[in-house]
Amino acid sequence: MARLGSWIESHPEGIYVRPADAWIDPSQPKARAWVTHGHADHARGGHGAVLATTETLAIMATRYGPQSGQPIAYDETIRVGDVDVRFVPAGHVLGSAQIVMEHKGERVVVSGDYKRRPDPTCPCFVPVPCDIFVTEATFGLPVFRHPDTGSEIDRLLHRLHSDPSRCVLVGAYALGKAQRIITELRARGHDQPIYFHGAIERLNQLYESFGISLGELRHTGGATKAEMAGHVVIAPPGALNDRWSRRLPDPVTAMASGWMRIRQRARQRNVELPLIISDHADWDELTTTIRELAPREVWITHGREEALKHWCMTHQITACELNLVGYEDEDD
Ligand SMILES: [Zn+2]
Ligand SMILES: [Zn+2]
């Protein structure tokens, strides 16, 4: 167990907020869980009571059934035990939040997963200066610098238009990335129907129910090859190389992920068109955020902690790695 300040503890199964008797994103069922966002490695079923944004609770309900959840709006402050707690936007996926806690004059912010660049599907990250900042570090190496999202979308569209007899099949995580790709395409003026794999249908509907408009979407089931030629098809990454894709008209296989920076990762999935589009902060976003928040201490979770820890130390900020278990790169 590591201690964060005097009242927050890091355990392998999550961060424990002692004066509120609550766990943040616990990997084991707990009586009281505060959940930053709906990705499966952060939001698990089986907790006694969940505090999360309305959107996150709805995402959890589609995955685990109804939750005994208490919704909290962005920027609303509630008192739990001896802690004032507030959720503020993290800019990661629909409903994602950082958790801001104050206790005895000390402020701790747990970022959850976050990014700084604009995303049409959720409000932008709000920087909250704090004493202790708990940050993710999925892309915590200087080699990870994500390019401009618009230019990646343009590459996708260029490829699509260069051969109307083929489709472009984009692998994108079902929660967040898939809907972001669709809205980014719409923002670049692409108003054609977009085809989708059945596995992302419920989340598309959920996003639309929260007012994120995705334009005309069509299920690939029942569509002919001729109909899908010249169109974008979105599917979860696991479907890129399976039998399902044989129904598509000579697909150009693309994948939207921060990991596409690594050529070997693209090759492993037989990706012809790697698109570097991530829902996580890249190296510059991580370091800019730490500079901006100017915390006394930084605690670093899931990812490549070592380089960011070193960076903090060279900038006179105390830093430490948290050894939380169960976080995966499911949602990059
Ligand atoms: Zn996530
Ligand atoms: Zn995560």
Side-chain angles (χ1 to χ4, degrees):
M1 181 193 89
R3 215 162 253 290
L4 290 164
S6 55
W7 50 278
I8 295 208
E9 298 162 7
S10 163
H11 296 253
E13 71 263 42
I15 290 168
Y16 180 56
V17 186
R18 183 164 290 285
D21 189 23
W23 291 81
I24 297 176
D25 292 352
S27 58
Q28 302 291 325
K30 298 290 179 188
R32 185 180 283 151
W34 297 348
V35 175
T36 58
H37 67 286
H39 280 137
D41 54 334
H42 294 258
R44 299 180 199 247
H47 301 305
V50 176
L51 180 66
T53 61
T54 307
E55 294 88 341
T56 296
L57 288 173
I59 291 163
M60 291 175 77
T62 68
R63 292 192 158 162
Y64 309 119
Q67 302 291 302
S68 62
Q70 179 189 350
I72 182 167
Y74 287 130
D75 293 325
E76 176 190 355
T77 300
I78 63 168
R79 193 161 181 87
V80 182
D82 208 12
V83 178
D84 286 321
V85 57
R86 179 160 60 105
F87 283 44
V88 302
H92 176 58
V93 295
L94 180 71
S96 65
Q98 312 169 71
I99 300 182
V100 179
M101 294 162 286
E102 312 218 20
H103 173 71
K104 293 193 172 157
E106 190 168 54
R107 184 186 291 157
V108 177
V109 174
V110 175
S111 73
D113 293 339
Y114 68 100
K115 69 174 174 294
R116 301 300 303 267
R117 52 193 79 206
D119 175 339
T121 69
C122 60
C124 277
F125 178 97
V126 173
V128 180
C130 53
D131 300 296
I132 297 173
F133 183 50
V134 183
T135 183
E136 62 132 323
T138 304
F139 292 112
L141 283 176
V143 65
F144 291 113
R145 290 194 156 94
H146 309 324
D148 172 66
T149 309
S151 66
E152 295 298 281
I153 296 292
D154 285 345
R155 289 175 52 230
L156 194 173
L157 288 171
H158 179 77
R159 191 58 178 266
L160 181 73
H161 298 144
S162 68
D163 188 349
S165 71
R166 303 179 73 182
C167 70
V168 176
L169 168 61
V170 184
Y173 289 95
L175 169 56
K177 188 66 63 66
Q179 297 76 27
R180 181 172 168 214
I181 297 299
I182 294 167
T183 53
E184 296 281 9
L185 282 164
R186 299 310 188 201
R188 300 305 266 194
H190 183 72
D191 54 8
Q192 295 292 303
I194 293 173
Y195 287 86
F196 63 87
H197 183 284
I200 65 171
E201 182 166 28
R202 278 191 313 170
L203 285 163
N204 288 346
Q205 289 166 349
L206 187 144
Y207 268 63
E208 294 225 280
S209 76
F210 281 99
I212 311 295
S213 85
L214 302 177
E216 187 185 349
L217 302 180
R218 292 182 186 167
H219 199 300
T220 50
T224 65
K225 283 190 181 188
E227 285 165 339
M228 290 187 278
H231 290 284
V232 175
V233 180
I234 312 260
L240 290 185
N241 298 307
D242 79 8
R243 292 175 59 85
W244 168 86
S245 64
R246 290 185 205 163
R247 73 181 63 190
L248 306 177
D250 191 15
V252 175
T253 301
M255 167 93 185
S257 161
W259 297 112
M260 290 298 104
R261 172 68 75 196
I262 312 284
R263 252 173 236 184
Q264 197 190 348
R265 293 250 188 165
R267 273 201 301 269
Q268 276 165 3
R269 290 186 184 271
N270 298 315
V271 170
E272 201 178 324
L273 179 65
L275 301 169
I276 306 169
I277 299 178
S278 176
D279 285 327
H280 292 272
D282 68 5
W283 176 256
D284 292 328
E285 292 169 67
L286 291 170
T287 55
T288 303
T289 302
I290 294 170
R291 267 209 186 97
E292 188 176 1
L293 305 189
R296 186 180 76 230
E297 287 176 35
V298 172
W299 294 71
I300 307 165
T301 73
H302 59 309
R304 277 116 289 271
E305 290 99 351
E306 211 35 62
L308 193 58
K309 184 175 147 186
H310 182 77
W311 182 91
C312 288
M313 281 154 56
T314 61
H315 290 76
Q316 284 73 51
I317 298 167
T318 304
C320 194
E321 300 158 43
L322 301 186
N323 296 307
L324 304 177
V325 298
Y327 289 110
E328 280 133 37
D329 304 326
E330 184 240 1
D331 59 338
D332 64 349

